[in-house]
Amino acid sequence: MDIEFNKNEDALKQLCFQLKSRHAKVALGGGEKAIAKQHEKGKLTARERIQYLIDDASDFLEIAAFAGEGMYQEYGGCPSGGVIAGIGYVKGRQCMIVANDATVKAGAWFPITAKKNLRAQEIALENRLPVIYLVDSAGVFLPMQDEIFPDKEHFGRMFRNNAIMSSEGIVQISAIMGSCVAGGAYLPIMSDEAMIVEGTGSIFLAGSYLVKAAIGETIDNETLGGATTHSEISGVTDYKFETDQECLDHIRNIFDKMGDTPKAGFNRVASAQPKLDPKEIYGILPQDRVKPYDMMDIILRLVDNSEFEPYKDLYGQSLICGLARIDGWAVGIVANQRKIVKSKKGEMQMGGVIYSDSADKAARFIMNCNQKKIPLLFLQDVSGFMVGSKAEHGGIIKDGAKLVNAMSNSVVPKFTIIVGNSYGAGNYAMCGKAYDPRLIYAWPTAQLAVMSGASAAKTLLQIQVASLKAKGEEITPEAEKELLDKITARYNEQLSPYYAAARLWVDGIIDPLETRKVISMGIEAANHAPITKPFNVGVIQT
């Protein structure tokens, strides 16, 4: 192995170490003191509840662990958006689990909390996964109520989703394990079954202080909406338990007796590990994102037996298309080729750029995968579409539109992994978040933006300098460099995968070695949802 491989390996391993360290920090939620207070009340934390609930040694695919990262600092932050969500297994059955983290502002809802809850419900609805809500929340975070309460994608959308999922036969089970107040009280009661923990669980539309202010009645919270009240008097809850553990045991018992559901029928055989060592990805992926590399070297370390069946491999070579298996699941892969290739006309094509012939090939491949009912995996390391007179005269917009059309209308499930660059319209064509991938995850090497940091900074600098000159102001070379450095630093911060993950532009950041797990669990989830819509691309310019 050469020195370049070793440098790349060191750099990516360091990024993965930082990833684990940052995740360990957000996993503490509101911190060790807040965790201790939960334990003093006889309560488990949100993460402890999930670990107790899921099957022994089962995989848990966390969704949006870095939601809220670096946001709401004026309020002390909101680690993981104040809620833990992810796909796990209960009694062997895959499900979505959503647990309020009471160590973060008593589980109050920030704007990002609502967005994360809605994303979890979206995943459950798309894949017809049962949902378990572990409720422990003080309700809307009042200082930001105007950003969470009234709009379509705000707090109330969650209860609408409860109703839609129920009507479609998607099982929802709720456990009230702490506070559950105001509008939030509808969530567990709109579920199929609701249970409550005695002494810690409570549910009411208005707490004792608000009741006193509103109607003058003096009453304590336990009598108003505690476990005894709702299990023996109002009938709001179905079951009452003394401890968190007993409550979670009962959820497991419910899942143990649930009937099976129809499947989509995606093809799966016995799983096989890649023959080529996946750990070599660390050294293959260049530290310098401008340097070319062969994306096939990455693919062959992700797929079963390192076997890949290429589609039109001599045509449109700036995109790799082909069939493979991941953990036994058949999958169609569309990936940006990052090495410099020679076109059918003998012209050299830059890596990571989508050309007309590549877009045409990928569109056709996506149609074929829909015809054969094969899920799609997009591996993004894309700078955008080719520009310039030759590309424009060759119909790059038409061919790009063809690719976007086929990808947008795909009815088989789509999954996206952002390996490196994800710039401009390339993000769109390669199934960015706006195009409904069932799951979208980023490696620590990912960058998401309209264009690269260097290009954007120079463009923004030109705009600002021109604006100053229009006002009759001159700028010295030193001041111009200082302005460029400032713009570059700000833009580079926004390029970070953590910036994207904080805002749920991606579902999470993963070590490259976790990619097979994400795709396998994603396809398994998607297999719960039979395809009922016919594939139709509408009008395509040819």
Side-chain angles (χ1 to χ4, degrees):
M1 292 187 186
D2 59 21
I3 191 168
E4 193 68 28
F5 183 99
N6 292 334
K7 285 181 179 179
N8 294 338
E9 183 179 44
D10 289 345
L12 185 44
K13 282 186 174 180
Q14 182 61 34
L15 289 176
C16 290
F17 175 78
Q18 292 171 7
L19 170 62
K20 289 179 175 65
S21 298
R22 292 177 77 152
H23 186 272
K25 184 178 179 181
V26 298
L28 289 174
E32 293 178 353
K33 288 183 179 178
I35 291 172
K37 286 182 180 178
Q38 290 292 103
H39 291 162
E40 287 169 11
K41 296 175 183 177
K43 297 165 66 176
L44 300 175
T45 65
R47 290 186 182 275
E48 289 168 344
R49 287 166 178 163
I50 291 172
Q51 286 302 310
Y52 186 92
L53 176 65
I54 60 178
D55 295 343
D56 292 341
S58 74
D59 287 318
F60 180 69
L61 179 57
E62 187 164 357
I63 305 295
F66 293 103
E69 173 93 343
M71 299 167 67
Y72 315 121
Q73 293 305 305
E74 66 273 33
Y75 300 114
C78 187
S80 286
V83 63
I84 315 303
I87 300 171
Y89 299 85
V90 175
K91 288 292 183 176
R93 185 181 293 273
Q94 209 176 36
C95 59
M96 173 63 70
I97 305 171
V98 181
N100 300 113
D101 187 350
T103 70
V104 180
K105 296 289 188 297
W109 286 61
F110 284 72
I112 200 67
T113 316
K115 188 173 183 179
K116 181 170 176 176
N117 273 267
L118 292 175
R119 175 60 178 154
Q121 287 185 321
E122 179 183 41
I123 293 170
L125 188 57
E126 285 179 330
N127 299 292
R128 300 191 65 82
L129 292 178
V131 187
I132 299 170
Y133 303 103
L134 306 179
V135 184
D136 194 346
S137 172
V140 168
F141 185 63
L142 287 176
M144 302 190 75
Q145 66 85 27
D146 62 321
E147 296 181 45
I148 187 175
F149 172 65
D151 210 346
K152 180 179 178 181
E153 301 300 329
H154 283 178
F155 188 62
R157 185 76 170 183
M158 185 174 60
F159 314 128
R160 173 264 190 194
N161 290 349
N162 287 143
I164 296 296
M165 284 193 281
S166 182
S167 73
E168 295 194 8
I170 298 171
V171 173
Q172 298 173 88
I173 307 294
S174 287
I176 302 157
M177 313 182 85
S179 298
C180 184
V181 301
Y186 287 104
L187 184 145
I189 311 311
M190 293 187 74
S191 300
D192 301 328
E193 294 183 79
M195 52 205 73
I196 190 167
V197 178
E198 194 169 14
T200 55
S202 61
I203 178 169
F204 34 67
L205 294 181
S208 55
Y209 292 121
L210 186 53
V211 167
K212 177 69 174 176
I215 64 172
E217 181 184 2
T218 301
I219 190 170
D220 63 90
N221 282 338
E222 186 64 25
T223 305
L224 180 66
T228 299
T229 295
H230 286 310
S231 297
E232 301 179 23
I233 301 173
S234 72
V236 166
T237 55
D238 304 306
Y239 312 96
K240 178 177 72 171
F241 300 98
E242 292 185 2
T243 66
D244 281 7
Q245 289 87 341
E246 289 180 6
C247 185
L248 296 168
D249 285 338
H250 190 71
I251 295 175
R252 290 181 56 80
N253 289 339
I254 292 173
F255 268 65
D256 190 41
K257 297 170 181 65
M258 284 167 53
D260 205 356
T261 56
K263 299 291 187 290
F266 301 126
N267 185 275
R268 192 181 196 186
V269 300
S271 176
Q273 291 296 315
K275 287 182 179 178
L276 298 177
D277 187 357
K279 292 180 182 177
E280 292 176 354
I281 291 173
Y282 293 137
I284 292 168
L285 198 61
Q287 180 180 0
D288 182 352
R289 63 183 54 252
V290 176
K291 287 189 176 180
Y293 66 92
D294 191 346
M295 180 61 87
M296 277 305 307
D297 290 337
I298 302 291
I299 293 172
L300 294 178
R301 286 161 177 80
L302 294 176
V303 301
D304 291 12
N305 287 318
S306 299
E307 293 176 351
F308 180 79
E309 303 169 23
Y311 174 78
K312 293 193 177 192
D313 56 333
L314 300 179
Y315 175 73
Q317 294 181 69
S318 72
L319 278 177
I320 296 170
C321 299
L323 302 176
R325 291 189 184 274
I326 291 180
D327 197 24
W329 293 104
V331 63
I333 296 175
V334 180
N336 299 110
Q337 175 58 285
R338 283 304 310 269
K339 72 177 183 180
I340 298 171
V341 296
K342 188 176 291 187
S343 75
K344 60 184 177 181
K345 298 178 182 178
E347 300 166 338
M348 301 309 291
Q349 295 186 346
M350 295 185 292
V353 177
I354 300 175
Y355 290 77
S356 282
D357 53 358
S358 301
D360 174 67
K361 175 176 82 170
R364 179 67 183 224
F365 178 70
I366 289 168
M367 293 178 198
N368 282 339
C369 285
N370 275 270
Q371 183 82 343
K372 299 179 179 74
K373 206 159 72 171
I374 300 173
L376 287 161
L377 169 61
F378 294 83
L379 298 176
Q380 285 196 14
D381 193 348
V382 57
S383 303
F385 284 87
M386 190 59 192
V387 296
S389 60
K390 184 176 290 188
E392 298 292 359
H393 297 170
I396 185 66
I397 296 175
K398 177 184 66 178
D399 291 317
K402 188 191 303 181
L403 171 56
V404 172
N405 193 324
M407 183 272 301
S408 300
N409 284 296
S410 176
V411 295
V412 296
K414 301 171 291 194
F415 302 89
T416 303
I417 301 293
I418 303 176
V419 172
N421 301 332
S422 181
Y423 297 153
N427 169 281
Y428 299 162
M430 293 295 291
C431 196
K433 183 67 181 291
Y435 293 84
D436 299 322
R438 296 293 177 97
L439 295 172
I440 176 169
Y441 279 81
W443 288 2
T445 46
Q447 287 190 351
L448 288 81
V450 171
M451 62 181 75
S452 71
S455 298
K458 289 174 183 176
T459 303
L460 290 168
L461 176 67
Q462 290 172 3
I463 293 170
Q464 292 198 26
V465 168
S467 176
L468 290 171
K469 288 181 177 178
K471 296 175 183 177
E473 300 179 27
E474 289 297 324
I475 183 167
T476 65
E478 293 78 16
E480 187 171 317
K481 182 182 181 305
E482 185 179 341
L483 183 57
L484 177 62
D485 291 344
K486 184 178 178 181
I487 293 170
T488 302
R490 185 174 69 248
Y491 197 86
N492 283 342
E493 179 187 351
Q494 295 174 1
L495 285 171
S496 164
Y498 293 97
Y499 191 91
R503 290 153 181 81
L504 270 71
W505 300 345
V506 296
D507 291 318
I509 306 170
I510 56 170
D511 184 313
L513 301 186
E514 294 180 282
T515 304
R516 281 172 55 86
K517 167 187 166 181
V518 169
I519 301 307
S520 177
M521 289 185 69
I523 298 176
E524 182 181 352
N527 200 39
H528 291 92
I531 297 172
T532 57
K533 180 182 176 183
F535 177 62
N536 186 346
V537 294
V539 177
I540 290 185
Q541 299 266 0
T542 58

